[in-house]
Amino acid sequence: MKTFAFAVILLFAAPAAAHAEATIVGRDVPLHGQRALAGSGTRRFDLVGVHWQGGGSVTFRTRSFAGRWSTWHAAAPEAEDGPDRPAEAGWRIGNPYWTGASDGIQYRLHGPVTRLRAYFVWSPADALPSRRLSIAGSPKVILRAGWGADESIRRAAPQYAPSVQYALVHHTAGTNAYSPSQSAAIVRGIEIYHVKGNGWNDIGYNFLVDKYGQVFEGRYGGVDKNVIGAHAEGFNTGSFGVAVLGTYTSSAPTAAAQTAL
């Protein structure tokens, strides 16, 4: 216990470093009765999330700075992500999709879609060192201060469950072609999308793991406490959610990610 306490003191005695700031802008997309749409006036972004109303679904593709279009992606591959009480009634919420540096987007509508809104996040990477917490028998955790969480945007104090019964492992969405230094930028992008796009209290996941095995503290409230997240609507209390950064519908997470899990 003495070693653990000493490590924590050293960790928080270090001065906080400034991280690149993530920004977000939301745009309503005029439909005009069309089923295929091109985004207009799109600013640069590296993460996008799509919201819509209606019983249909939405797919999209994005254009990189180099002018290459991605494949088409479902807007909500993990539609169950969310708090137990939806923050915005009537809207279907897409997952935060990491695209890498992009400047264009196109949409396809499938079935009844009456309104469409896209949130564009720009979350640049930085090479600043990340402060980590090391606990015996567990992987090192990059704390919120280490990855640059914006504590000013949290909407409410954390809530706690009396116990944790099980863990739920998710994957996020987007390309798996990211560097170790981009991982913290992805987490910052997810945070601002969950809070300012979805209207949630904080980032939804309790922890996030990248393909290199780096572990990030997610929702605020303490890594050693039973913080209730927003990752499995109806099943958040009594569980904790871990998200692996990337898409793993047709391939397994890396060995490093699986070891960290």
Side-chain angles (χ1 to χ4, degrees):
M1 292 300 294
K2 290 182 179 179
T3 302
F4 172 71
F6 183 64
V8 172
I9 291 171
L10 283 180
L11 183 70
F12 287 97
H19 289 265
E21 182 181 359
T23 57
I24 186 170
V25 61
R27 296 189 186 278
D28 287 313
V29 182
L31 301 184
H32 302 306
Q34 297 175 303
R35 311 304 296 172
L37 305 157
S40 60
T42 306
R43 54 180 283 168
R44 65 179 184 177
F45 61 94
D46 46 28
L47 182 146
V48 65
V50 178
H51 294 191
W52 71 98
Q53 291 184 340
S57 61
V58 179
T59 56
F60 66 89
R61 66 175 183 170
T62 57
R63 183 183 62 210
S64 71
F65 278 4
R68 292 188 295 271
W69 285 97
S70 71
T71 57
W72 289 92
H73 310 295
E78 288 212 341
E80 72 279 4
D81 287 4
D84 291 333
R85 295 181 179 178
E88 194 173 24
W91 285 88
R92 303 185 69 180
I93 294 177
N95 300 104
Y97 202 98
W98 180 258
T99 63
S102 303
D103 60 6
I105 188 168
Q106 293 178 340
Y107 313 91
R108 286 178 177 169
L109 311 183
H110 310 272
V113 175
T114 57
R115 291 187 66 185
L116 182 64
R117 180 181 298 158
Y119 290 92
F120 300 98
V121 174
W122 179 248
S123 182
D126 57 45
L128 296 174
S130 297
R131 296 185 291 173
R132 301 169 188 252
L133 174 65
S134 182
I135 302 174
S138 300
K140 293 180 179 179
V141 178
I142 300 173
L143 299 179
R144 290 172 63 91
W147 56 261
D150 186 351
E151 305 298 0
S152 69
I153 66 174
R154 282 190 286 111
R155 295 174 179 265
Q159 295 182 315
Y160 299 95
S163 63
V164 171
Q165 305 297 323
Y166 52 92
L168 296 172
V169 179
H170 309 256
H171 63 136
T172 55
T175 178
N176 295 344
Y178 57 86
S179 67
S181 63
Q182 286 180 308
S183 297
I186 297 173
V187 177
R188 289 194 296 273
I190 293 172
E191 176 200 28
I192 197 170
Y193 174 71
H194 279 179
V195 177
K196 291 192 172 182
N198 296 354
W200 299 353
N201 290 339
D202 192 3
I203 192 169
Y205 308 113
N206 298 100
F207 295 93
L208 302 96
V209 176
D210 72 4
K211 67 179 183 179
Y212 304 100
Q214 297 184 106
V215 180
F216 299 84
E217 178 188 10
R219 178 158 286 216
Y220 179 85
V223 296
D224 58 341
K225 294 182 171 60
N226 304 331
V227 181
I228 299 174
H231 57 89
E233 184 177 343
F235 298 93
N236 288 306
T237 301
S239 70
F240 72 91
V242 183
V244 183
L245 302 184
T247 300
Y248 298 98
T249 52
S250 59
S251 62
T254 63
Q258 293 186 49
T259 298
L261 289 170

